[in-house]
Amino acid sequence: MRMTRIVRKILSHYESDNPGTKANLARILLQGKLGGSGKMVILPVDQGFEHGPARSFAQNAAGYDPHYHYRLAIDAGLNAYAAPLGALEAGADTFAGQIPTILKVNSSTSWAVSKDQAVTASVQDALRIGASAIGFTIYPGSDRQFNLVEEIREMAQEAKSYGLAVVIWSYPRGGDLSKQGETALDVTAYAAHQAALLGAHIIKVKPPTAHLEQKEAKEIYEKYNIARDTLSDRIAHIMQSSFNGRRIVVFSGGAAKDLNSIYDEVRALRDGGANGSIMGRNAFQRPHDEALEMLNKIIAIYQNKY
């Protein structure tokens, strides 16, 4: 696809990046059915690490095969496919050049006690398999948050020097945060802003609730009447907190939910100015044809057609 005015404007926001990094961002932005629109839908499949194979794939046994996820992302016309090293290696040759990939370079497991992630792949791995970006999770608020910040600082510097883009999953948890606070508006905005400050090109956060977790922040939100009644209001605030829309922000789909709930949420993301969705379990845990139908409707929502 040819370069579009919208994508050119987005790339202009990354003023320090080299042509290689901008080219890889452009590959993601120009790929698939939403290519050139500034919107994107990404398929992430890192849940095998996080939850184990049966919890991740038993609902749709085809998902045990890494090739299935490559094909789903390609067939659906998505912008990119993100996964840990082994899964991407398993299809790197068969699907070379057909879909931009994001190598998830750190992961945790359901057995972990601390809120931490292990580095499971390298920038060199990303280059070797032809990935367009690395993906890295941080846990703002956890006891290990500063270790994760230091790890991504080093890896992002290396990735950018080789012309790769950087995606940061920013998931607040641990420390003094309550479970409700993990998706509170003030906390999610803080997490997105931290990812931007760390140099992320693409930021991944969860859709925020109207809850305000931090006492000091709550006073500010109420004093300045920051809108939070609707999800689209809250999404607009997350975009504002991500350098006033100068950074790409995509929102996770979370646990499996019914189709109407998914479509309503995506409409709110669109109306709030989100760049798109990064949807895993809600896609790959459905049979192929059902997943394609759902993803086509999600794409149509971002195209203002549904």
Side-chain angles (χ1 to χ4, degrees):
M1 176 176 282
R2 293 181 180 178
M3 178 64 67
T4 66
R5 177 185 58 80
I6 293 172
V7 171
R8 195 179 302 278
K9 180 178 179 181
I10 291 171
L11 295 178
S12 75
H13 295 159
Y14 299 90
E15 297 190 20
S16 70
D17 285 293
N18 59 42
T21 297
K22 289 194 175 188
N24 274 312
L25 272 177
R27 289 186 182 103
I28 296 171
L29 286 161
L30 294 172
Q31 177 77 19
K33 294 176 181 177
L34 288 170
S37 68
K39 303 297 183 182
M40 62 176 65
V41 178
I42 297 171
L43 177 69
V45 188
D46 57 342
Q47 288 80 1
F49 240 126
E50 303 288 335
H51 305 300
R55 287 174 61 189
S56 300
F57 307 125
Q59 293 184 51
N60 178 26
Y64 284 105
D65 185 345
H67 280 213
Y68 176 81
H69 306 291
Y70 272 102
R71 291 193 187 98
L72 178 59
I74 293 166
D75 292 348
L78 303 188
N79 296 78
Y81 164 47
L85 178 61
L88 292 186
E89 283 183 328
D93 183 54
T94 300
F95 301 99
Q98 297 181 52
I99 183 82
T101 56
I102 299 167
L103 174 60
K104 188 67 165 56
V105 294
N106 71 338
S107 290
S108 187
T109 72
S110 58
W111 299 331
V113 176
S114 63
K115 305 299 182 184
D116 198 3
Q117 297 244 334
V119 174
T120 56
S122 68
V123 170
Q124 294 301 314
D125 288 323
L127 294 168
R128 175 173 56 84
I129 63 173
S132 294
I134 62 166
F136 191 96
T137 295
I138 61 172
Y139 291 143
S142 78
D143 293 340
R144 299 288 295 172
Q145 61 184 313
F146 298 123
N147 299 80
L148 293 166
V149 163
E150 290 172 359
E151 286 170 2
I152 186 52
R153 178 201 59 78
E154 184 174 346
M155 294 193 79
Q157 181 182 42
E158 183 182 7
K160 292 175 182 181
S161 74
Y162 287 112
L164 296 176
V166 175
V167 185
I168 294 183
W169 278 239
S170 194
Y171 286 170
R173 60 187 60 178
D176 293 330
L177 285 176
S178 67
K179 187 65 178 176
Q180 186 181 20
E182 292 178 0
T183 52
L185 177 60
D186 58 319
V187 173
T188 305
Y190 197 175
H193 189 69
Q194 285 186 42
L197 291 172
L198 286 168
H201 298 102
I202 301 175
I203 298 164
K204 177 188 178 186
V205 290
K206 296 181 180 181
T209 67
H211 174 64
L212 298 175
E213 176 81 354
Q214 305 162 101
K215 178 180 179 294
E216 296 84 354
K218 184 177 182 180
E219 294 172 354
I220 297 297
Y221 277 76
E222 292 176 346
K223 179 179 179 180
Y224 293 101
N225 296 313
I226 297 174
R228 58 189 173 97
D229 290 341
T230 68
L231 180 54
S232 58
D233 287 336
R234 300 192 291 273
I235 296 301
H237 179 60
I238 301 304
M239 299 305 297
Q240 181 184 44
S241 300
S242 303
F243 293 173
N244 203 30
R246 287 182 173 271
R247 292 297 177 263
I248 298 167
V249 186
V250 294
F251 293 82
S252 65
K257 54 176 76 79
D258 68 89
L259 289 174
N260 286 333
S261 296
I262 292 171
Y263 300 147
D264 287 344
E265 183 173 272
V266 173
R267 288 188 188 96
L269 297 179
R270 176 200 63 195
D271 294 345
N275 291 101
S277 298
I278 179 163
M279 187 167 293
R281 284 171 287 179
N282 278 296
F284 69 74
Q285 288 185 343
R286 287 180 163 83
H288 181 269
D289 290 348
E290 289 183 21
L292 282 186
E293 183 179 0
M294 181 197 71
L295 290 167
N296 281 335
K297 288 184 178 178
I298 289 170
I299 288 168
I301 290 171
Y302 282 117
Q303 294 171 327
N304 295 308
K305 295 179 180 178
Y306 181 73

